[in-house]
Amino acid sequence: MFTVDPSPGRGEKLDWRARAACRDVDPERFFPTATAGAALAAEERRALSVCAECPVLDACRIWAVAEQPHGVAGGLTEDERRRARRATPRSRRVERCRAVVPAPSPRTDRAPVIAAGCAALTAGADRGDVARTLGVTRRTVDRWAAALVVTAGGGR
């Protein structure tokens, strides 16, 4: 087994979605199958009951109004979000959403992880162990291994 310090990106503040009450709930609950009437209202109430206890409801609501067209999200139904979108100009919605949802960070911090993975593969480490240790998928490790073979073999 080998050890690696994967870089400063690992201990950063968690995204608000990681603290959401719906994180461990079946996603199907938030997309009602009924089209109208009492059945639809009952399915929406069931989903909204999860949202009612959510610690990040405000952040989710901002995101949902700006980005989520279907289902129950942010403690609002599709119709409620549609009305909220009409009441708020698009430029303000996008601004508010950007403040809540962090932009993807450039993956420049992955260089030490890739280097450690390639070194471990070259040393003969098991691909599954490499993936688990470095926090990447097995597919990623397979791509690294294929790149090493191409580089070492000089072709196919």
Side-chain angles (χ1 to χ4, degrees), residues 73-108:
L76 301 171
T77 64
E78 288 179 24
D79 291 335
E80 291 168 334
R81 287 194 312 280
R82 193 174 302 114
R83 285 192 297 271
R85 278 192 289 276
R86 286 185 193 136
T88 308
R90 176 150 173 76
S91 59
R92 281 190 48 218
R93 283 197 313 266
V94 171
E95 254 176 46
R96 289 180 74 196
C97 185
R98 282 191 191 126
V100 174
V101 179
S105 63
R107 300 304 295 238
T108 56

CSV table of all heavy atoms in Angstrom, one decimal, residues 73-108:
chain,number,residue,atom,x,y,z
A,73,ALA,N,-38.6,21.0,-5.7
A,73,ALA,CA,-37.3,21.4,-5.3
A,73,ALA,C,-37.3,22.7,-4.6
A,73,ALA,O,-38.1,23.6,-4.9
A,73,ALA,CB,-36.4,21.5,-6.5
A,74,GLY,N,-36.4,22.9,-3.6
A,74,GLY,CA,-36.3,24.1,-2.9
A,74,GLY,C,-37.6,24.4,-2.1
A,74,GLY,O,-37.9,25.6,-1.7
A,75,GLY,N,-38.4,23.4,-1.7
A,75,GLY,CA,-39.6,23.6,-1.0
A,75,GLY,C,-40.7,24.2,-1.8
A,75,GLY,O,-41.7,24.7,-1.3
A,76,LEU,N,-40.6,24.1,-3.2
A,76,LEU,CA,-41.5,24.7,-4.1
A,76,LEU,C,-41.9,23.7,-5.1
A,76,LEU,O,-41.1,22.9,-5.6
A,76,LEU,CB,-41.0,25.9,-4.8
A,76,LEU,CG,-40.5,27.1,-3.9
A,76,LEU,CD1,-39.8,28.1,-4.7
A,76,LEU,CD2,-41.7,27.7,-3.2
A,77,THR,N,-43.2,23.7,-5.6
A,77,THR,CA,-43.6,22.9,-6.7
A,77,THR,C,-43.2,23.5,-8.0
A,77,THR,O,-42.8,24.6,-8.0
A,77,THR,CB,-45.2,22.7,-6.6
A,77,THR,OG1,-45.8,24.0,-6.9
A,77,THR,CG2,-45.6,22.1,-5.3
A,78,GLU,N,-43.5,22.8,-9.1
A,78,GLU,CA,-43.1,23.3,-10.4
A,78,GLU,C,-43.9,24.7,-10.6
A,78,GLU,O,-43.3,25.6,-11.1
A,78,GLU,CB,-43.5,22.4,-11.5
A,78,GLU,CG,-42.7,21.1,-11.6
A,78,GLU,CD,-43.1,20.2,-12.7
A,78,GLU,OE1,-43.8,20.6,-13.6
A,78,GLU,OE2,-42.8,19.0,-12.6
A,79,ASP,N,-45.2,24.7,-10.3
A,79,ASP,CA,-46.0,25.9,-10.6
A,79,ASP,C,-45.5,27.1,-9.7
A,79,ASP,O,-45.4,28.2,-10.2
A,79,ASP,CB,-47.4,25.7,-10.3
A,79,ASP,CG,-48.1,24.7,-11.3
A,79,ASP,OD1,-47.6,24.6,-12.4
A,79,ASP,OD2,-49.1,24.1,-10.9
A,80,GLU,N,-45.1,26.8,-8.5
A,80,GLU,CA,-44.6,27.9,-7.6
A,80,GLU,C,-43.3,28.4,-8.1
A,80,GLU,O,-43.1,29.6,-8.1
A,80,GLU,CB,-44.5,27.3,-6.1
A,80,GLU,CG,-45.8,27.0,-5.5
A,80,GLU,CD,-45.6,26.2,-4.2
A,80,GLU,OE1,-44.6,25.5,-4.0
A,80,GLU,OE2,-46.5,26.4,-3.3
A,81,ARG,N,-42.4,27.5,-8.6
A,81,ARG,CA,-41.1,28.0,-9.1
A,81,ARG,C,-41.3,28.8,-10.4
A,81,ARG,O,-40.7,29.8,-10.7
A,81,ARG,CB,-40.2,26.9,-9.4
A,81,ARG,CG,-39.6,26.3,-8.1
A,81,ARG,CD,-38.4,25.4,-8.3
A,81,ARG,NE,-38.6,24.4,-9.3
A,81,ARG,CZ,-39.2,23.3,-9.2
A,81,ARG,NH1,-39.8,23.0,-8.0
A,81,ARG,NH2,-39.4,22.4,-10.1
A,82,ARG,N,-42.3,28.4,-11.2
A,82,ARG,CA,-42.6,29.1,-12.5
A,82,ARG,C,-43.1,30.5,-12.2
A,82,ARG,O,-42.6,31.5,-12.8
A,82,ARG,CB,-43.7,28.3,-13.3
A,82,ARG,CG,-43.8,28.8,-14.7
A,82,ARG,CD,-44.8,27.9,-15.5
A,82,ARG,NE,-44.4,26.5,-15.5
A,82,ARG,CZ,-45.0,25.5,-14.9
A,82,ARG,NH1,-46.2,25.7,-14.3
A,82,ARG,NH2,-44.6,24.2,-15.0
A,83,ARG,N,-43.9,30.6,-11.2
A,83,ARG,CA,-44.4,32.0,-10.8
A,83,ARG,C,-43.3,32.8,-10.2
A,83,ARG,O,-43.2,34.0,-10.5
A,83,ARG,CB,-45.5,31.9,-9.8
A,83,ARG,CG,-46.9,31.4,-10.4
A,83,ARG,CD,-48.0,31.6,-9.4
A,83,ARG,NE,-47.9,30.8,-8.2
A,83,ARG,CZ,-48.4,29.6,-8.1
A,83,ARG,NH1,-49.0,29.0,-9.1
A,83,ARG,NH2,-48.2,28.9,-7.0
A,84,ALA,N,-42.4,32.2,-9.5
A,84,ALA,CA,-41.2,32.9,-8.9
A,84,ALA,C,-40.3,33.4,-10.0
A,84,ALA,O,-39.8,34.5,-10.0
A,84,ALA,CB,-40.5,32.1,-7.9
A,85,ARG,N,-40.1,32.6,-11.1
A,85,ARG,CA,-39.3,32.9,-12.2
A,85,ARG,C,-39.9,34.1,-12.9
A,85,ARG,O,-39.1,35.0,-13.4
A,85,ARG,CB,-39.1,31.8,-13.1
A,85,ARG,CG,-38.0,30.8,-12.7
A,85,ARG,CD,-37.6,29.8,-13.8
A,85,ARG,NE,-38.6,28.9,-14.1
A,85,ARG,CZ,-38.8,27.7,-13.4
A,85,ARG,NH1,-38.0,27.5,-12.4
A,85,ARG,NH2,-39.7,26.9,-13.7
A,86,ARG,N,-41.2,34.1,-13.1
A,86,ARG,CA,-41.8,35.2,-13.8
A,86,ARG,C,-41.7,36.5,-13.0
A,86,ARG,O,-41.6,37.6,-13.6
A,86,ARG,CB,-43.3,34.9,-14.0
A,86,ARG,CG,-43.5,33.9,-15.1
A,86,ARG,CD,-45.0,33.8,-15.4
A,86,ARG,NE,-45.2,32.6,-16.2
A,86,ARG,CZ,-46.2,31.7,-16.0
A,86,ARG,NH1,-47.0,31.8,-15.0
A,86,ARG,NH2,-46.3,30.7,-16.8
A,87,ALA,N,-41.7,36.4,-11.7
A,87,ALA,CA,-41.6,37.6,-10.8
A,87,ALA,C,-40.2,38.2,-10.7
A,87,ALA,O,-40.0,39.3,-10.3
A,87,ALA,CB,-42.1,37.3,-9.5
A,88,THR,N,-39.2,37.4,-11.1
A,88,THR,CA,-37.8,37.8,-10.9
A,88,THR,C,-37.1,37.8,-12.3
A,88,THR,O,-37.1,36.8,-13.0
A,88,THR,CB,-37.0,36.8,-10.0
A,88,THR,OG1,-37.7,36.6,-8.8
A,88,THR,CG2,-35.6,37.3,-9.8
A,89,PRO,N,-36.5,39.0,-12.7
A,89,PRO,CA,-35.8,39.0,-14.0
A,89,PRO,C,-34.7,38.0,-14.0
A,89,PRO,O,-34.0,37.7,-13.0
A,89,PRO,CB,-35.2,40.4,-14.0
A,89,PRO,CG,-35.9,41.2,-13.0
A,89,PRO,CD,-36.5,40.2,-12.0
A,90,ARG,N,-34.4,37.4,-15.2
A,90,ARG,CA,-33.4,36.3,-15.3
A,90,ARG,C,-32.1,36.7,-14.9
A,90,ARG,O,-31.4,36.0,-14.2
A,90,ARG,CB,-33.3,35.9,-16.8
A,90,ARG,CG,-32.2,34.9,-17.0
A,90,ARG,CD,-32.5,33.9,-18.1
A,90,ARG,NE,-31.4,33.0,-18.4
A,90,ARG,CZ,-31.0,32.0,-17.7
A,90,ARG,NH1,-31.7,31.7,-16.6
A,90,ARG,NH2,-30.0,31.3,-18.0
A,91,SER,N,-31.6,37.9,-15.1
A,91,SER,CA,-30.3,38.4,-14.7
A,91,SER,C,-30.1,38.3,-13.2
A,91,SER,O,-29.1,37.9,-12.7
A,91,SER,CB,-30.0,39.8,-15.2
A,91,SER,OG,-30.9,40.7,-14.7
A,92,ARG,N,-31.1,38.7,-12.5
A,92,ARG,CA,-31.0,38.6,-11.0
A,92,ARG,C,-31.0,37.1,-10.5
A,92,ARG,O,-30.3,36.8,-9.6
A,92,ARG,CB,-32.2,39.3,-10.4
A,92,ARG,CG,-31.9,40.8,-10.3
A,92,ARG,CD,-32.9,41.6,-9.5
A,92,ARG,NE,-33.1,41.0,-8.2
A,92,ARG,CZ,-34.3,41.0,-7.6
A,92,ARG,NH1,-35.4,41.5,-8.2
A,92,ARG,NH2,-34.5,40.5,-6.4
A,93,ARG,N,-31.8,36.3,-11.2
A,93,ARG,CA,-31.9,34.8,-10.8
A,93,ARG,C,-30.5,34.2,-11.0
A,93,ARG,O,-30.0,33.5,-10.1
A,93,ARG,CB,-32.9,34.1,-11.7
A,93,ARG,CG,-34.3,34.3,-11.3
A,93,ARG,CD,-35.2,33.2,-11.9
A,93,ARG,NE,-34.9,32.9,-13.3
A,93,ARG,CZ,-35.6,33.4,-14.3
A,93,ARG,NH1,-36.5,34.4,-14.1
A,93,ARG,NH2,-35.4,33.1,-15.5
A,94,VAL,N,-29.8,34.5,-12.1
A,94,VAL,CA,-28.5,33.9,-12.4
A,94,VAL,C,-27.5,34.4,-11.4
A,94,VAL,O,-26.7,33.7,-10.9
A,94,VAL,CB,-28.1,34.2,-13.8
A,94,VAL,CG1,-26.7,33.8,-14.1
A,94,VAL,CG2,-29.0,33.5,-14.8
A,95,GLU,N,-27.6,35.7,-11.1
A,95,GLU,CA,-26.7,36.3,-10.1
A,95,GLU,C,-26.8,35.6,-8.8
A,95,GLU,O,-25.8,35.3,-8.1
A,95,GLU,CB,-27.0,37.8,-9.9
A,95,GLU,CG,-26.1,38.8,-10.5
A,95,GLU,CD,-26.6,40.2,-10.4
A,95,GLU,OE1,-27.0,40.5,-9.2
A,95,GLU,OE2,-26.6,40.9,-11.3
A,96,ARG,N,-28.0,35.5,-8.3
A,96,ARG,CA,-28.3,34.9,-7.0
A,96,ARG,C,-27.8,33.4,-7.0
A,96,ARG,O,-27.3,32.9,-6.0
A,96,ARG,CB,-29.7,35.0,-6.6
A,96,ARG,CG,-30.1,36.4,-6.3
A,96,ARG,CD,-31.6,36.5,-5.9
A,96,ARG,NE,-31.8,35.9,-4.6
A,96,ARG,CZ,-33.0,35.6,-4.1
A,96,ARG,NH1,-34.0,35.8,-4.8
A,96,ARG,NH2,-33.1,35.1,-2.9
A,97,CYS,N,-28.1,32.7,-8.1
A,97,CYS,CA,-27.7,31.3,-8.1
A,97,CYS,C,-26.2,31.2,-8.1
A,97,CYS,O,-25.6,30.3,-7.4
A,97,CYS,CB,-28.2,30.7,-9.4
A,97,CYS,SG,-27.9,28.9,-9.5
A,98,ARG,N,-25.4,32.0,-8.8
A,98,ARG,CA,-24.0,32.0,-8.8
A,98,ARG,C,-23.4,32.2,-7.4
A,98,ARG,O,-22.4,31.6,-7.0
A,98,ARG,CB,-23.4,33.0,-9.7
A,98,ARG,CG,-23.5,32.6,-11.1
A,98,ARG,CD,-22.6,33.5,-12.0
A,98,ARG,NE,-22.9,33.3,-13.4
A,98,ARG,CZ,-23.3,34.2,-14.2
A,98,ARG,NH1,-23.4,35.4,-13.9
A,98,ARG,NH2,-23.6,33.9,-15.5
A,99,ALA,N,-24.1,33.0,-6.6
A,99,ALA,CA,-23.6,33.3,-5.2
A,99,ALA,C,-23.8,32.0,-4.3
A,99,ALA,O,-23.0,31.9,-3.4
A,99,ALA,CB,-24.4,34.4,-4.6
A,100,VAL,N,-24.7,31.1,-4.7
A,100,VAL,CA,-25.0,29.9,-3.8
A,100,VAL,C,-24.2,28.7,-4.3
A,100,VAL,O,-23.6,28.0,-3.6
A,100,VAL,CB,-26.5,29.7,-3.8
A,100,VAL,CG1,-26.7,28.4,-3.0
A,100,VAL,CG2,-27.2,30.8,-3.1
A,101,VAL,N,-24.3,28.5,-5.6
A,101,VAL,CA,-23.6,27.3,-6.2
A,101,VAL,C,-22.2,27.7,-6.7
A,101,VAL,O,-22.1,28.5,-7.6
A,101,VAL,CB,-24.5,26.8,-7.4
A,101,VAL,CG1,-23.8,25.5,-8.0
A,101,VAL,CG2,-25.9,26.4,-6.9
A,102,PRO,N,-21.2,27.1,-6.1
A,102,PRO,CA,-19.9,27.4,-6.5
A,102,PRO,C,-19.6,27.0,-7.9
A,102,PRO,O,-20.1,25.9,-8.4
A,102,PRO,CB,-19.0,26.7,-5.5
A,102,PRO,CG,-19.8,25.5,-5.0
A,102,PRO,CD,-21.2,26.0,-5.1
A,103,ALA,N,-18.8,27.8,-8.6
A,103,ALA,CA,-18.4,27.4,-10.0
A,103,ALA,C,-17.4,26.3,-9.9
A,103,ALA,O,-16.7,26.1,-8.9
A,103,ALA,CB,-17.8,28.6,-10.7
A,104,PRO,N,-17.4,25.4,-11.0
A,104,PRO,CA,-16.4,24.4,-11.0
A,104,PRO,C,-15.0,24.9,-10.9
A,104,PRO,O,-14.7,25.9,-11.6
A,104,PRO,CB,-16.6,23.7,-12.3
A,104,PRO,CG,-17.9,24.2,-12.9
A,104,PRO,CD,-18.2,25.5,-12.2
A,105,SER,N,-14.2,24.3,-10.1
A,105,SER,CA,-12.8,24.8,-9.9
A,105,SER,C,-12.0,24.1,-11.0
A,105,SER,O,-12.2,23.0,-11.4
A,105,SER,CB,-12.3,24.5,-8.6
A,105,SER,OG,-12.2,23.1,-8.4
A,106,PRO,N,-11.0,24.9,-11.5
A,106,PRO,CA,-10.0,24.2,-12.4
A,106,PRO,C,-9.4,23.0,-11.7
A,106,PRO,O,-9.1,23.1,-10.6
A,106,PRO,CB,-9.1,25.3,-12.8
A,106,PRO,CG,-9.3,26.4,-11.8
A,106,PRO,CD,-10.6,26.2,-11.1
A,107,ARG,N,-9.1,22.0,-12.5
A,107,ARG,CA,-8.6,20.8,-11.9
A,107,ARG,C,-7.1,20.8,-11.9
A,107,ARG,O,-6.4,19.8,-12.1
A,107,ARG,CB,-9.1,19.6,-12.7
A,107,ARG,CG,-10.6,19.4,-12.7
A,107,ARG,CD,-11.2,19.3,-11.3
A,107,ARG,NE,-10.7,18.2,-10.6
A,107,ARG,CZ,-11.5,17.2,-10.1
A,107,ARG,NH1,-12.8,17.4,-10.2
A,107,ARG,NH2,-11.0,16.2,-9.5
A,108,THR,N,-6.5,21.9,-11.6
A,108,THR,CA,-5.0,22.0,-11.5
A,108,THR,C,-4.5,21.3,-10.3
A,108,THR,O,-3.3,20.9,-10.3
A,108,THR,CB,-4.5,23.5,-11.5
A,108,THR,OG1,-5.2,24.1,-10.4
A,108,THR,CG2,-4.9,24.2,-12.8
